[in-house]
Amino acid sequence: MIRILKNRLALSTVITTLIILVVSILLAAVVAYYATNVVSTRVQEENLYVSKQHVWVNSIGEAEAAVMVTNNGGRDVVINKVSVRGQVSDWADVFYAIADPDLDTLTDDLVYLPVPVAADDDLGLTDTAHLALTNLILPSGMTMVIYLNSPDSIGLNDIGLTVGISLHTAQAVYYCETNIQAIIS
């Protein structure tokens, strides 16, 4: 027993090991906290709110679809494609308008426009309709209305059925459903 107490080297090895272990754990915790803080503050998420979706079919079987999209995320979003009932719409049939954020009519429902929708048509926003030549860009905090002329595989026999409208971006697919409505023209 006296021999163990006199051996100072054995006691200092244990204490040195404990000190190295505690210091390395503290340094690892500080580095992990810093990395988490840097990553979480610099990552901005994509977040689209899809609302007021409609698909209309008139008495001669021509279809039209419309949807309102609001970008609630912290970054601008690129919409790569729009599809109705799983069928991708050709960009020549897609028209859009970006709404003024101060506009009171954003709470109004979307209305049926005589088919086909064309460029410079009034969509009830301060901006008129534009033909989508390629991907749609929706800035952060803005709202866009999208109209689709003649979505594929929609006809008179589909009135009353539920269909899905999908917006595809680089990070996600935003999906909403609506019933096909009849329009008497």
Side-chain angles (χ1 to χ4, degrees), residues 3-175:
R3 193 175 195 190
I4 293 176
L5 294 175
K6 287 185 178 182
N7 188 355
R8 295 181 186 179
L9 187 61
L11 191 57
S12 67
T13 304
V14 171
I15 291 174
T16 304
T17 305
L18 285 174
I19 290 172
I20 291 172
L21 188 64
V22 168
V23 168
S24 63
I25 289 173
L26 287 175
L27 283 174
V30 168
V31 169
Y33 176 74
Y34 176 73
T36 303
N37 189 22
V38 167
V39 169
S40 66
T41 57
R42 303 223 174 149
V43 171
Q44 296 176 343
E45 293 186 12
E46 172 182 296
N47 184 13
L48 294 182
Y49 175 67
V50 181
S51 62
K52 301 180 183 174
Q53 59 273 8
H54 292 282
V55 177
W56 299 283
V57 176
N58 64 17
S59 59
I60 58 173
E62 294 174 327
E64 179 179 298
V67 66
M68 182 178 282
V69 184
T70 304
N71 184 355
N72 293 327
R75 62 194 255 173
D76 296 350
V77 175
V78 177
I79 299 173
N80 299 327
K81 62 183 173 178
V82 181
S83 61
V84 177
R85 193 188 259 176
Q87 301 293 321
V88 177
S89 295
D90 186 26
W91 287 120
D93 295 326
V94 178
F95 292 86
Y96 72 97
I98 296 179
D100 180 8
D102 299 328
L103 193 62
D104 291 336
T105 58
L106 288 179
T107 57
D108 296 343
D109 202 7
L110 300 177
V111 296
Y112 174 79
L113 298 174
V115 176
V117 176
D120 297 326
D121 279 356
D122 183 18
L123 299 181
L125 307 169
T126 56
D127 194 14
T128 58
H130 302 282
L131 175 62
L133 300 174
T134 183
N135 299 341
L136 301 174
I137 298 173
L138 182 57
S140 177
M142 300 297 285
T143 299
M144 176 187 288
V145 174
I146 302 171
Y147 275 82
L148 306 164
N149 287 333
S150 305
D152 288 341
S153 71
I154 305 283
L156 279 173
N157 295 332
D158 297 320
I159 292 174
L161 297 178
T162 302
V163 295
I165 300 173
S166 302
L167 303 172
H168 300 258
T169 66
Q171 293 184 355
V173 176
Y174 296 90
Y175 180 82

